[in-house]
Amino acid sequence: MPAPKDLEGRHALVTGSAAGLGRSIALKLAERGASVIVNCTKSMADGEATVADCQKAGAQARLVQADVSTDEGCAKLAEAAAQGGRLDILVNNAGITKHARDHSDLDALTREDFLHTYAVNVAGPFLMLQKTKALLVEAHRQTGRASAVLNVSSIAGVTGIGSSVAYAATKGALNTMTLSLARALAPAIRVNAVCPGFIGTRWFKDEMSPEQYAKMEAGVAASVPLHVASGPDDIADSAVFFLTDASRHVTGETLLVDAGMHLGYAPLVAR
């Protein structure tokens, strides 16, 4: 069944959208009629492929290379969004980690590891809102509809599991920031978050052999209550809810989309 064109005429920006979950969200927004700014830091070929697929869906799309951990990168993205006159949807998806799964090994992370992870995962979403706030408010002024901001967090920020202590800490901070900004920016802007568990993307695949990845994916499916290993589209379907009028009365929410991982069967992995 074709996607409804309920986002026709809306302008969206998705950070970290060259691949993985960000790509899936960008494509779903495009399929529903939104124009989309795709963002990457380095993966230009992947970003161009995502733009091409958004355009195949009938949407206007373009790629902006920018690093959200910097003022300059966020300003560049905001300048691109300003060309549309307003911004209806902002998805703060860009995120990084340094894999250090043994949380008891405190020597596995350096001060620089912590600061860089925070710069992308926490400062990045804040800076993006700082730079695009006027555009988001303008969309509310023009339409009477609250603009939608979605922060992509993680089950790691709720349970403390995950790829590293630093990663879990940043996602916990992002969850708290979601609450603060939802309160502060209403009624013009709604701010929500999704907390995925395991997602089958290059996040893990690039760190493992195909055999290791297949074993881990099977282990995840066996250990979560729903007995599934989620892919990017599975999470994106839930994420897009926060970007449509179906959630028009929702702000300050943090939704766990983890196949039940938080219920106590969680393995030692999380997005």
Side-chain angles (χ1 to χ4, degrees):
M1 181 181 296
K5 296 296 183 180
D6 54 342
L7 298 180
E8 197 83 51
R10 300 191 198 185
H11 302 272
L13 191 167
V14 185
T15 68
S17 46
L21 176 57
R23 169 185 163 84
S24 289
I25 293 173
L27 289 176
K28 288 182 183 296
L29 292 174
E31 289 166 359
R32 296 176 78 142
S35 64
V36 183
I37 295 175
V38 175
N39 161 247
C40 70
T41 303
K42 298 177 182 177
S43 307
M44 292 294 289
D46 288 337
E48 289 165 359
T50 298
V51 166
D53 287 341
C54 288
Q55 292 170 340
K56 287 178 186 176
Q60 295 183 353
R62 56 196 169 117
L63 177 65
V64 177
Q65 183 180 23
D67 181 351
V68 301
S69 71
T70 68
D71 271 311
E72 296 78 11
C74 293
K76 183 178 179 181
L77 283 164
E79 288 165 8
Q83 294 175 23
R86 69 174 201 253
L87 185 64
D88 301 273
I89 295 167
L90 170 64
V91 181
N92 288 312
N93 173 74
I96 62 164
T97 193
K98 178 178 178 180
H99 290 271
R101 299 191 186 283
D102 180 357
H103 289 194
S104 70
D105 182 4
L106 301 187
D107 294 324
L109 297 169
T110 65
R111 178 177 182 275
E112 288 70 28
D113 293 330
F114 255 89
L115 292 179
H116 185 47
T117 306
Y118 263 88
V120 177
N121 296 0
V122 184
F126 176 81
L127 290 172
M128 283 304 307
L129 260 167
Q130 182 187 72
K131 305 300 183 187
T132 62
K133 178 184 173 183
L135 295 170
L136 293 161
V137 171
E138 177 62 17
H140 175 254
R141 188 193 69 79
Q142 290 183 23
T143 67
R145 179 184 59 240
S147 300
V149 174
L150 181 68
N151 293 326
V152 177
S153 185
S154 170
I155 186 65
V158 177
T159 64
I161 62 172
S163 52
S164 72
V165 171
Y167 180 77
T170 62
K171 294 304 185 178
L174 184 59
N175 290 345
T176 302
M177 189 167 73
T178 297
L179 297 175
S180 298
L181 294 177
R183 185 181 299 110
L185 300 179
I189 304 170
R190 298 188 296 112
V191 186
N192 293 290
V194 290
C195 293
F198 171 84
I199 310 178
T201 67
R202 65 178 56 176
W203 187 271
F204 296 115
K205 293 176 181 178
D206 288 351
E207 297 291 321
M208 302 176 178
S209 69
E211 294 76 18
Q212 289 173 321
Y213 175 78
K215 182 178 179 181
M216 183 189 68
E217 187 177 53
V220 169
S223 62
V224 297
L226 294 185
H227 288 179
V228 293
S230 303
D233 284 348
D234 301 309
I235 310 302
D237 282 337
S238 296
V240 169
F241 162 75
F242 286 113
L243 308 174
T244 70
D245 291 342
S247 62
R248 61 192 177 277
H249 285 186
V250 181
T251 194
E253 275 299 314
T254 301
L255 178 65
L256 278 62
V257 189
D258 65 351
M261 183 182 286
H262 67 283
L263 297 174
Y265 295 90
L268 296 177
V269 291
R271 183 188 183 280

